[in-house]
Amino acid sequence: VVQARIQQLAISKVLVTIHGRHKSLLVKAHCDLGESYLMKKFIDQALHHFTAAKEINSGLFSEYEDSRQFHPFILMMIGKCFIEQKKYAESLEPLEKALQINEQQIGKEHVSNVNIITDLAFAHSKKGNHTRALSLYNKAIAIVEKAFGPQSETIASLDLDIAKTYESLANYTEAISYQQKALAILSAVESTDMIVLANIYITLADWCTKVKQYEEALNALKKSVKMYEDMYG
């Protein structure tokens, strides 16, 4: 895939430079290659191409309306690269800008904000800004609930993120509550990976033990063991 994207970028450069095609071709080619590098965990290369895409795209605002709509995605991907590099402080600016632009263009309740908000919350949590992270996660939940209802798998994922944040605060009671909310949703979804579900129960058991909820911990472990037995005998 990476080689194909490299060829795509080379062709786009020829089309733009020699044949006068629009520079938006270069923006897309850099982003596609950046995504391929990011998937392969070649983060420096991914960041280089997303940054190139941002610089080209910024110069197209006055002549190409779609460039404005695409810009939040580019900024979000730059933020993701910094997160992958564990440069959480550096990820905040592009993610904040991405969210600001996206909210201005398509509204604060649009579901496309959720991915940006989630990345931003994660970065804040890693920096120790747990209150800000929790506020952002709850903001994402409100958007998803309005769009898809309270039993969405995305809600479960956000519940797990909130649980981890409360764990970082050593607030195991709240962590347990959100872990249980996630489990209630995921247990009802047939496509849920049983290994993932079993590991969520193991984490729940650990937290229950920390607050001396031994019966709940034992029940969680039993459910985890049952899942592994069903999978592997």
Side-chain angles (χ1 to χ4, degrees):
V1 176
V2 169
Q3 287 300 319
R5 296 308 187 192
I6 291 173
Q7 291 175 2
Q8 175 191 351
L9 178 58
I11 292 169
S12 296
K13 287 179 178 179
V14 171
L15 290 172
V16 170
T17 304
I18 298 177
H19 299 283
R21 297 287 294 276
H22 201 274
K23 288 183 179 179
S24 59
L25 282 176
L26 288 175
V27 174
K28 185 177 186 308
H30 276 294
C31 284
D32 288 346
L33 182 51
E35 285 188 87
S36 295
Y37 276 129
L38 188 57
M39 288 178 62
K40 296 288 186 181
K41 301 297 183 182
F42 297 149
I43 310 303
D44 289 340
Q45 293 90 330
L47 185 58
H48 167 78
H49 287 286
F50 286 125
T51 301
K54 184 190 76 168
E55 292 173 355
I56 298 169
N57 202 59
S58 296
L60 302 178
F61 287 173
S62 61
E63 61 182 86
Y64 189 60
E65 182 62 30
D66 286 353
S67 64
R68 291 182 180 274
Q69 297 174 6
F70 194 56
H71 212 63
F73 170 79
I74 300 172
L75 292 170
M76 180 183 72
M77 298 308 291
I78 290 173
K80 283 183 182 291
C81 288
F82 283 130
I83 287 174
E84 287 290 333
Q85 292 177 327
K86 295 181 170 52
K87 296 179 179 178
Y88 303 113
E90 292 180 51
S91 74
L92 295 180
E93 182 180 354
L95 290 171
E96 291 280 10
K97 285 183 178 179
L99 182 59
Q100 179 185 17
I101 296 170
N102 213 51
E103 288 181 338
Q104 288 174 347
Q105 292 184 154
I106 57 179
K108 293 185 177 182
E109 297 184 348
H110 197 276
V111 292
S112 65
N113 291 317
V114 171
N115 285 339
I116 305 172
I117 293 170
T118 303
D119 285 340
L120 189 55
F122 179 80
H124 274 294
S125 183
K126 286 295 186 180
K127 283 190 84 275
N129 302 331
H130 300 302
T131 300
R132 175 62 173 154
L134 289 170
S135 175
L136 287 163
Y137 282 133
N138 282 307
K139 180 177 181 177
I141 284 178
I143 295 171
V144 176
E145 280 189 343
K146 186 172 182 179
F148 304 115
Q151 300 303 309
S152 164
E153 290 179 68
T154 304
I155 295 289
S157 178
L158 290 165
D159 284 338
L160 292 173
D161 288 332
I162 292 174
K164 289 176 185 176
T165 305
Y166 276 118
E167 180 195 19
S168 298
L169 290 166
N171 187 340
Y172 295 107
T173 300
E174 286 296 327
I176 288 167
S177 175
Y178 278 94
Q179 196 86 342
Q180 290 171 332
K181 288 179 183 179
L183 283 166
I185 296 172
L186 295 174
S187 296
V189 178
E190 291 184 5
S191 60
T192 300
D193 188 321
M194 288 297 103
I195 294 177
V196 171
L197 202 59
N199 287 334
I200 294 172
Y201 273 113
I202 290 171
T203 301
L204 176 62
D206 178 52
W207 294 343
C208 286
T209 301
K210 290 181 185 297
V211 294
K212 299 182 179 180
Q213 296 179 8
Y214 299 120
E215 185 175 349
E216 290 83 352
L218 185 58
N219 286 335
L221 286 174
K222 285 179 178 178
K223 289 179 180 179
S224 178
V225 169
K226 178 66 166 57
M227 289 177 183
Y228 275 106
E229 286 178 346
D230 290 343
M231 287 185 288
Y232 301 113

